[in-house]
Amino acid sequence: MKYINKKFTIEKVSVQKIAKKFDTPTYCYSYKKLNENIKNFKKNFKSFSPLICFAIKSNTNVNLIKEIKNFGLGADVVSMGELMMALKAGINPKKIVFSGVGKTSKEINYAIDKKILLINAESKSEIKEIEKIANLKKRKVQVGIRLNPNTDAKTLKQISTGKRENKFGVNDKVFIEIVKYCKNSNYIDLKCLSVHIGSQILDHKPYEKMLNVISKIINKINHNFEFIDLGGGMGISYNSRNKKLNYKKYNLAIKKFLKNHKSKIIFEPGRSIVGNTGILICKVIYIKKTESKNFVILDAAMNDLIRPALYGAVHKILPSVKKNKKLYKTYEFVGPICESTDKFATSKNFQELKEKDLIIICDVGAYGMSLSSNYNLRPKPTEILIKGSKIKVIKKRQKYRDFI
Ligand code: LLP
C-alpha cells in the first residue's frame, strides 16, 4: 500500500477506483500483505513450528478466514458463532481452540460434537460443566486450563488480560487444584496450559516473564502438557512512534523454555496477522469551521470503526491523493454519529482538504469490521479484497432492508 504517482494504491488498484466502484465507506484488504504477515510470523518461530490459530475475533470475514486457512492456519474462537464461522471457512477442527470465560453448556456441547482440538477452560466451574457434558456423551474431551500469570503486558489497560485483577484464567493455586481434579477424571483429558496476557504488546519482556511463571508452575505440578498455548497479543506499529516487538527475543525465550519442557507451542495471533492488511476508505461529507476548529465530517463513523472512541486508539489518516501545493491545516476528523466520542483523530499539518475528497484510515484489518455495529441505524460497510489488480467483494454493503 503506497502512493503511486501521488495516488494511494493497494497493490495495483487506486483508492479512487475502489470508491467509484463500491462507494464509501469501504473496508479494503491486501492479499499480498496478508501473505507477507503470515510468512513472517511463521519465519519468526520456524525452529519449533508452532500451531498458529488465527484469533477469529479480530476479523470474522469468512472469505478472509478461508484465505488464512489456505496458509495452513487454525483458529482461536471465543463463541459458538466464531466456531461455526471457522468451520464454515473450512478450518480443520483439529486446529481449533476455544477460549473464553463464559462458555455456555450449549457452546460446550457444540464444541465437543465438532471434536475440536482444545477447549481452554477458565474456571473450576467450567471444568465441571465440560466433564458433566462429556460424561453424558461418554466421551473424553481434550482440554486446556488458562493460567492467569499475573503479568503486566504493558499495553492499554482495556486490552490487558494477564493481571490478577482481570477476569481471565485462574491463579496458580486454583490451577494446581484443577490439574489434580482433571487427573482423576475419566472424561477430561488435560492436554494444555494456556495463557494470553493482552493485546497490542510491543515489549518482549512481559512475554519472558509469562514464560518464567509458566515454567515454575509446570515444575511444581510435574505434569507434561502436550500443548502450551501462549495466546496472541503481538502488537503492530500504528504510528511511527510505536516501537516494534522484538520477535527474535520472544523466540529465544520460547526456545529456552522448550529445552526444559517438551510441548508443542500454540499461538493465537489476530492483530499481527490482519491488522495492517486493511484500510477504511471514506469520503469527506462536509468541512465545518468553528471558532476553534476545522471539523472534517467523514461518511465513516464510530459504528464502522470503534477503536478510537473505545480505547483512544490512534490510526493514521492519509489523503487519497497527495497534492503538490503545500498548504497545511489542523483538522479534527469526525463521523456523523450523535456522540462526541465519534472522533477518529486530530491531525496537525494535514494537506488542505475539500468536500468530497477521499480519506484513508490505516491499519484497520483487526478489530475494525469485527467490532462494527448498526448504531444510529447505519448500514455496515462493504469489504473488498485486492489481489494484484483483481478486486473481490468479500462482503456486500448492508442494505437498509436488512435491518428495517
Ligand atoms: N487469544 C485470546 C484468548 C484473546 O482474548 C485475544 C484477544 C487473542 C488471542 C488475539 O489477540 P491479538 O493477537 O489480536 O492481540 N478490540 C481490541 C483488542 C481486544 C483483544 C481481545 N482478545 C482492540 O481493538 O485493540
Side-chain angles (χ1 to χ4, degrees), residues 371-382:
L371 270 156
S372 66
S373 76
N374 287 123
Y375 187 40
N376 277 203
L377 285 190
R378 291 165 48 86
K380 293 195 184 189
T382 313

Side-chain angles (χ1 to χ4, degrees), residues 376-379 397-404:
N376 277 203
L377 285 190
R378 291 165 48 86
R397 187 177 304 285
Q398 215 178 14
K399 297 207 165 53
Y400 286 105
R401 66 158 186 266
D402 294 338
F403 55 88
I404 294 176

Side-chain angles (χ1 to χ4, degrees), residues 55 57-58 76 78 99-100 122 146 156 159 161 168 196 198-200 231-234 238 268-272 307 311 366-367 371:
K57 67 169 81 67
S58 63
D76 160 56
V78 289
S99 314
E122 303 213 15
R146 179 164 171 182
L156 291 172
I159 53 176
T161 51
F168 303 97
H196 172 76
S199 198
Q200 185 53 14
M234 297 82 167
Y238 282 102
E268 302 169 355
R271 193 188 315 264
S272 50
R307 300 194 71 253
Y311 314 113
Y367 308 107
L371 270 156

Side-chain angles (χ1 to χ4, degrees), residues 70-85:
N70 290 339
F71 288 106
L73 271 62
D76 160 56
V77 301
V78 289
S79 69
M80 187 153 150
E82 284 192 3
L83 176 48
M84 290 163 113
M85 195 62 105

